Coordinates of all heavy atoms in Angstrom, one line a residue:
V132 N -89.5 -109.5 -140.6 CA -89.6 -108.3 -139.7 C -88.4 -108.2 -138.8 O -87.8 -107.2 -138.5 CB -90.9 -108.4 -138.9 CG1 -91.0 -107.3 -137.9 CG2 -92.1 -108.2 -139.9
N133 N -88.0 -109.4 -138.2 CA -86.9 -109.4 -137.3 C -85.6 -109.0 -137.9 O -84.8 -108.3 -137.3 CB -86.7 -110.8 -136.7 CG -87.8 -111.1 -135.7 OD1 -88.5 -110.2 -135.1 ND2 -88.1 -112.4 -135.4
I134 N -85.4 -109.4 -139.2 CA -84.2 -109.1 -139.9 C -84.1 -107.6 -140.1 O -83.1 -106.9 -139.9 CB -84.1 -109.8 -141.3 CG1 -83.8 -111.3 -141.1 CG2 -83.1 -109.1 -142.2 CD1 -84.0 -112.1 -142.4
R135 N -85.2 -107.0 -140.5 CA -85.3 -105.5 -140.7 C -85.0 -104.8 -139.4 O -84.3 -103.8 -139.3 CB -86.7 -105.1 -141.2 CG -86.8 -105.3 -142.7 CD -87.8 -104.3 -143.3 NE -89.0 -104.1 -142.6 CZ -90.1 -104.8 -142.9 NH1 -90.2 -105.6 -143.9 NH2 -91.2 -104.6 -142.2
Q136 N -85.6 -105.3 -138.2 CA -85.4 -104.7 -136.9 C -83.9 -104.8 -136.5 O -83.3 -103.9 -136.0 CB -86.3 -105.4 -135.9 CG -86.2 -104.7 -134.5 CD -87.2 -105.3 -133.5 OE1 -88.1 -106.0 -133.9 NE2 -86.9 -105.1 -132.3
R137 N -83.3 -106.0 -136.7 CA -81.9 -106.2 -136.4 C -81.0 -105.3 -137.2 O -80.0 -104.7 -136.7 CB -81.5 -107.6 -136.6 CG -82.0 -108.6 -135.6 CD -81.3 -109.9 -135.6 NE -81.5 -110.7 -136.8 CZ -82.5 -111.6 -137.0 NH1 -83.3 -111.8 -136.0 NH2 -82.6 -112.2 -138.1
Q138 N -81.3 -105.1 -138.5 CA -80.6 -104.1 -139.3 C -80.6 -102.7 -138.8 O -79.6 -102.0 -138.7 CB -81.1 -104.2 -140.8 CG -80.7 -105.5 -141.5 CD -81.3 -105.6 -142.9 OE1 -82.4 -105.0 -143.1 NE2 -80.8 -106.3 -143.8
A139 N -81.9 -102.3 -138.4 CA -82.1 -100.9 -137.9 C -81.3 -100.7 -136.6 O -80.7 -99.7 -136.4 CB -83.6 -100.7 -137.7
E140 N -81.4 -101.8 -135.7 CA -80.7 -101.7 -134.5 C -79.2 -101.6 -134.7 O -78.4 -100.9 -134.0 CB -81.1 -102.8 -133.6 CG -82.5 -102.8 -133.0 CD -82.9 -104.0 -132.3 OE1 -82.2 -105.1 -132.4 OE2 -84.0 -104.0 -131.8
G141 N -78.7 -102.4 -135.6 CA -77.2 -102.4 -135.9 C -76.7 -101.1 -136.5 O -75.7 -100.6 -136.1
I142 N -77.6 -100.5 -137.3 CA -77.2 -99.2 -137.9 C -77.2 -98.1 -136.8 O -76.3 -97.3 -136.7 CB -78.2 -98.8 -139.0 CG1 -77.9 -99.7 -140.2 CG2 -78.0 -97.3 -139.4 CD1 -79.0 -99.6 -141.3
A143 N -78.2 -98.2 -135.9 CA -78.3 -97.2 -134.8 C -77.1 -97.3 -133.9 O -76.5 -96.3 -133.4 CB -79.6 -97.4 -134.0
A144 N -76.7 -98.6 -133.6 CA -75.6 -98.8 -132.7 C -74.3 -98.4 -133.3 O -73.4 -97.8 -132.7 CB -75.5 -100.3 -132.4
A145 N -74.1 -98.6 -134.6 CA -72.9 -98.1 -135.3 C -72.8 -96.6 -135.4 O -71.8 -96.0 -135.1 CB -72.9 -98.7 -136.8
R146 N -74.0 -96.0 -135.6 CA -74.0 -94.5 -135.6 C -73.6 -93.9 -134.2 O -72.9 -92.9 -134.1 CB -75.4 -94.0 -136.0 CG -75.6 -94.1 -137.5 CD -76.8 -93.2 -138.0 NE -76.8 -93.2 -139.4 CZ -77.9 -93.5 -140.1 NH1 -79.0 -93.8 -139.6 NH2 -77.8 -93.4 -141.5
A147 N -74.1 -94.6 -133.1 CA -73.8 -94.2 -131.8 C -72.3 -94.3 -131.5 O -71.7 -93.6 -130.7 CB -74.6 -95.1 -130.8
R148 N -71.6 -95.3 -132.2 CA -70.2 -95.4 -132.0 C -69.4 -94.5 -132.9 O -68.2 -94.5 -132.9 CB -69.8 -96.9 -132.4 CG -70.2 -97.9 -131.4 CD -69.5 -99.3 -131.7 NE -69.5 -99.7 -133.0 CZ -70.4 -100.4 -133.6 NH1 -71.5 -100.9 -132.9 NH2 -70.4 -100.8 -134.9
G149 N -70.1 -93.7 -133.7 CA -69.5 -92.7 -134.6 C -69.2 -93.2 -136.0 O -68.6 -92.5 -136.8
V150 N -69.7 -94.4 -136.3 CA -69.6 -94.8 -137.7 C -70.4 -94.0 -138.6 O -71.6 -93.8 -138.4 CB -70.0 -96.3 -137.8 CG1 -69.9 -96.8 -139.2 CG2 -69.1 -97.2 -136.9
Q151 N -69.8 -93.6 -139.7 CA -70.6 -92.8 -140.7 C -70.9 -93.6 -141.9 O -70.1 -94.4 -142.4 CB -69.8 -91.5 -141.1 CG -69.6 -90.5 -140.0 CD -69.1 -89.2 -140.5 OE1 -68.5 -89.1 -141.6 NE2 -69.2 -88.2 -139.8
F152 N -72.1 -93.5 -142.4 CA -72.6 -94.2 -143.6 C -72.6 -93.3 -144.8 O -72.7 -92.1 -144.7 CB -74.0 -94.8 -143.3 CG -74.0 -95.9 -142.2 CD1 -74.2 -95.5 -140.9 CD2 -73.8 -97.2 -142.6 CE1 -74.1 -96.5 -139.9 CE2 -73.7 -98.2 -141.6 CZ -73.9 -97.8 -140.3
G153 N -72.6 -93.9 -145.9 CA -72.7 -93.1 -147.2 C -71.3 -92.8 -147.6 O -70.3 -93.2 -147.1
R154 N -71.2 -91.9 -148.6 CA -69.9 -91.5 -149.2 C -69.1 -90.6 -148.2 O -69.7 -89.9 -147.4 CB -70.1 -90.7 -150.4 CG -70.6 -91.5 -151.6 CD -70.7 -90.7 -152.9 NE -71.7 -89.6 -152.7 CZ -72.0 -88.7 -153.7 NH1 -71.4 -88.8 -154.8 NH2 -72.9 -87.8 -153.5
K155 N -67.8 -90.7 -148.2 CA -67.0 -89.9 -147.4 C -67.1 -88.5 -147.8 O -67.0 -88.2 -149.0 CB -65.5 -90.4 -147.5 CG -64.8 -90.8 -146.3 CD -63.4 -91.2 -146.5 CE -62.7 -91.5 -145.2 NZ -61.4 -92.0 -145.4
P156 N -67.2 -87.6 -146.8 CA -67.3 -86.2 -147.2 C -66.0 -85.7 -147.9 O -64.9 -86.0 -147.5 CB -67.6 -85.4 -145.9 CG -67.1 -86.4 -144.8 CD -67.3 -87.8 -145.4
V157 N -66.2 -84.8 -148.9 CA -65.1 -84.3 -149.6 C -64.5 -83.2 -148.8 O -65.2 -82.3 -148.2 CB -65.5 -83.7 -151.0 CG1 -64.4 -83.0 -151.7 CG2 -66.2 -84.7 -151.9
P158 N -63.2 -83.2 -148.5 CA -62.5 -82.2 -147.7 C -62.7 -80.8 -148.3 O -62.8 -80.6 -149.5 CB -61.1 -82.6 -147.6 CG -60.9 -83.5 -148.8 CD -62.2 -84.1 -149.1
L159 N -62.7 -79.8 -147.4 CA -62.9 -78.4 -147.8 C -61.6 -78.0 -148.6 O -60.5 -78.4 -148.2 CB -63.1 -77.5 -146.6 CG -64.4 -77.6 -145.9 CD1 -64.4 -76.8 -144.6 CD2 -65.6 -77.3 -146.7
P160 N -61.7 -77.1 -149.6 CA -60.5 -76.7 -150.3 C -59.6 -75.8 -149.4 O -60.1 -75.3 -148.4 CB -61.1 -75.8 -151.4 CG -62.4 -75.5 -151.0 CD -62.9 -76.6 -150.2
D161 N -58.3 -75.8 -149.7 CA -57.4 -75.1 -148.8 C -57.7 -73.6 -148.6 O -57.4 -73.1 -147.5 CB -55.9 -75.2 -149.4 CG -55.4 -76.6 -149.4 OD1 -56.0 -77.4 -148.6 OD2 -54.6 -76.9 -150.3

Side-chain angles (χ1 to χ4, degrees):
V132 170
N133 287 340
I134 288 169
R135 281 211 311 263
Q136 186 177 339
R137 286 196 295 270
Q138 285 172 339
E140 288 170 353
I142 290 168
R146 283 195 172 130
R148 293 194 309 270
V150 176
Q151 291 192 342
F152 293 89
R154 288 184 299 181
K155 233 178 175 178
V157 178
L159 294 172
D161 294 338

